[in-house]
Amino acid sequence: MVDALPPRRSRPTMNDVAAHAGVSLKTVSRVVNGLDHVSTDKFERVTRSIEALGFRRNEYARQLRQGTTATIGLVLEDVADPFYSLLTRAVEDVAFERDHVVLAASSAEDPVRARALIELFGARGVDGLIIAPAGGIDVSFLRAELESGSSLVFVDRPVAGIDADTVLVDSREGARKGTEHLIRHGHRRIAFFGDDESVYTATERRAGYRAALEAAGIPFDDSLVHMTVPATAPVSEIVQRVLASADPPTAIFSGNNRWSVRLLRVLRGRSDDLAFLGFDDFELSDVLNPGITVIAQDASAVGRLAADLLFRRITGDTAPVQRVQLATALIERGSAERTGPFLDR
Amino acid sequence: MVDALPPRRSRPTMNDVAAHAGVSLKTVSRVVNGLDHVSTDKFERVTRSIEALGFRRNEYARQLRQGTTATIGLVLEDVADPFYSLLTRAVEDVAFERDHVVLAASSAEDPVRARALIELFGARGVDGLIIAPAGGIDVSFLRAELESGSSLVFVDRPVAGIDADTVLVDSREGARKGTEHLIRHGHRRIAFFGDDESVYTATERRAGYRAALEAAGIPFDDSLVHMTVPATAPVSEIVQRVLASADPPTAIFSGNNRWSVRLLRVLRGRSDDLAFLGFDDFELSDVLNPGITVIAQDASAVGRLAADLLFRRITGDTAPVQRVQLATALIERGSAERTGPFLDR
DNA sequence: GTGAAAGCGCTAACAG
DNA sequence: CTGTTAGCGCTTTCAC
């Protein structure tokens, strides 16, 4: 036994507390974990030592021993997209209520990055994972993840071949409803803009659009349909071409909020006689002139539900896998109910 | 020694791999960590075993041993706020490049929740923390956090009394510039709307607004200044009262994007003769009619810079603490450069 | 009530 | 080049 003590470690451990309080390691553990079988005397001594030393339990050590991490992972396209940022916030809130923390990451639409992130999270032994699966995601890999113990919930897009809870918005029905609304207002030439075919929601929405047309006896015209990721598309040129065609559309259906923003930006400079309806609401849609009519989806509800389902699994629920479809709401604001030059000065 | 083996554990460990490959634990560790001094023969055997067993290193065990977690924490007001969601995305990107994951959480403007989150993160031994400090945050607590080993970077708002890197936007100068712009366009009665006094950026922007007025010889009129959190404020009534006053403003300066959205929503229904300028850009500001002139701040740059600074600290940089002020940009779109009824149909 | 000892899965230190 | 041993900070037996 040497006299000189080593300099205090950056974070005190339970051993330090035990030494300080003059009790055994186990007693400290009991106090920290709120267990009984500790005399009030020792309980107080330990409590005081914890205070004095500023002790906080090292979660990693606990987790290593216990095998649970009180952490969930969230992987989606891009937190900066309003739909996903709302969803993220809802997941965070549920996690916080349950004393879990959330590892969050954007896959940037890149399946390789998505996989890397999921692996990173998996190696940290997250209790569960909420994933908005990117197009080309590796299914067998996800299945392995599921089997190795972390629960999985998919949001926004389903993944075929994996038995996991899924929370979706009923895109097809929403798009059908929206298109029908335009038809009801006299439109028969309706252009459709959506993400490319690899994106589940894009094809679902197109299917809904098509279903509405067919129900109304309007022939589906492929030249009115444009499927590309708007971020990189030459939106202005596309719009120009469509509107200059022989039999131009009288209405536009935008398949998501990214497209809506880009389309509105282009349309603002023109004076075409158009109606407009967008899938997914966005901030200021009500401040534009005319207000933008949308099929709204509740991103918070998706996040909350997904998190609830996940925690149900984490806590051992073995009920059959669920696939929830959330309904959309048509919000009329003017842009789809009138005609006239669009967003003109 | 019993004959029957227990059923396979959910995740294989290095020991399992070692047994499978017929080598020692340490050899596996060497392979996993990409170290040399392993014969090609064994290297391949181990690699195959890893494949076969689907082994992935348990990060918690590694972290416990090494004392580093490859995790950073991010605590801000609300990920659903566009400014913060952009910032979050930037932080995620930097972290990903550096093989770190990010624990993200919204404090919901609640200092108690903020503290709880930081403690939760601290207990997980995050290597570093990026914090947008909520109004009443506990300074001594943060200081303890800093001393116990995690690096700290503040964003958006500084914290007095703690020696930590800080990345800010030059709010005061931005507001001064914006107000000056309005003055240059002939306005002398300019209303100011901002968050309440507890919010650093709000008072800074008000100070900039005031400085511009005074530089132009315009008396500061407190009845034109409104400091409240817009989420809960009766915006419509406030606006009505202000515009109905004896000497009403001819221009409005909105202190942040939350206020801008709410103000624009109210102004849309009215036909007042007003100019408008907002602090912080927002999506569709260019699609509105007139386009909204703003003082833009670069949220991504804030996030990127903060993350860079944090990683510099994490990797041992002991240079003096930095306080970075990012410049803002005036973007003219029409709303501040003209007069006439506002967003009128 | 309390504590000693073992061990979670990994890496560091030191042999061979 | 390879393996053995110890130990990170905690929880879990299982004695006392």
Side-chain angles (χ1 to χ4, degrees), chain A residues 9 14 26 29 55 57-58 65:
Chain A
R9 301 179 40 72
M14 273 195 183
K26 179 60 198 175
S29 172
F55 165 81
R57 173 173 63 191
N58 178 324
R65 188 62 239 239

Side-chain angles (χ1 to χ4, degrees), chain B residues 177-185 277 293 330 332 336-337:
Chain B
K177 192 160 54 183
T179 308
E180 196 179 63
H181 183 70
L182 287 167
I183 295 169
R184 204 182 309 126
H185 282 272
L277 190 148
T293 294
L330 171 66
E332 301 186 28
E337 295 78 20

Side-chain angles (χ1 to χ4, degrees), chain A residues 29-172:
Chain A
S29 172
R30 286 204 179 89
V31 172
V32 169
N33 291 291
L35 300 179
D36 35 10
H37 300 297
V38 176
S39 68
T40 23
D41 166 47
K42 293 203 170 172
F43 179 87
E44 286 188 350
R45 255 165 46 217
V46 170
T47 310
R48 264 199 301 277
S49 297
I50 288 176
E51 274 295 305
L53 266 43
F55 165 81
R56 279 197 332 262
R57 173 173 63 191
N58 178 324
E59 281 300 310
Y60 288 128
R62 192 185 66 86
Q63 287 159 14
L64 175 58
R65 188 62 239 239
Q66 285 203 151
T68 172
T69 59
T71 305
I72 63 173
L74 175 62
V75 179
L76 27 76
E77 301 295 308
D78 183 4
V79 240
D81 179 320
F83 177 77
Y84 288 122
S85 69
L86 237 45
L87 192 157
T88 300
R89 177 61 202 274
V91 171
E92 282 183 0
D93 287 350
V94 175
F96 183 71
E97 281 165 25
R98 303 197 170 240
D99 291 311
H100 277 236
V101 296
V102 5
L103 285 168
S106 302
S107 68
E109 301 274 357
D110 173 0
V112 177
R113 176 160 165 173
R115 179 180 173 147
L117 290 168
I118 294 169
E119 271 183 335
L120 233 44
F121 290 1
R124 279 177 173 70
V126 292
D127 294 339
L129 229 27
I130 296 177
I131 302 176
I137 198 147
D138 182 343
V139 177
S140 64
F141 159 68
L142 280 173
R143 204 179 293 129
E145 203 58 47
L146 189 60
E147 273 157 17
S148 74
S150 12
S151 309
L152 232 55
V153 173
F154 294 114
V155 287
D156 200 34
R157 307 164 184 183
V159 173
I162 300 186
D163 206 34
D165 296 313
T166 304
V167 180
L168 303 172
V169 168
D170 195 342
S171 281
R172 187 185 295 228

Side-chain angles (χ1 to χ4, degrees), chain B residues 261-279:
Chain B
V261 169
R262 295 222 162 50
L263 285 168
L264 291 171
R265 204 161 273 154
V266 169
L267 291 173
R268 184 191 199 254
R270 308 179 50 104
S271 55
D272 309 277
D273 205 17
L274 279 175
F276 187 100
L277 190 148
F279 199 108

Side-chain angles (χ1 to χ4, degrees), chain B residues 214-231:
Chain B
E214 281 164 1
I218 302 171
F220 175 82
D221 178 353
D222 209 49
S223 75
L224 288 174
V225 174
H226 304 270
M227 308 282 280
T228 358
V229 177

Side-chain angles (χ1 to χ4, degrees), chain B residues 306-324:
Chain B
D308 283 342
L309 277 172
L310 185 64
F311 280 114
R312 210 172 295 168
R313 295 298 174 195
I314 288 174
T315 52
D317 184 348
T318 56
V321 155
Q322 283 194 48
R323 178 170 173 149
V324 184

Side-chain angles (χ1 to χ4, degrees), chain A residues 109 133-136 157 195-203 227 229:
Chain A
E109 301 274 357
R157 307 164 184 183
D195 278 345
D196 73 51
E197 317 244 342
S198 71
V199 180
Y200 169 81
T201 49
T203 58
M227 307 282 280
V229 177

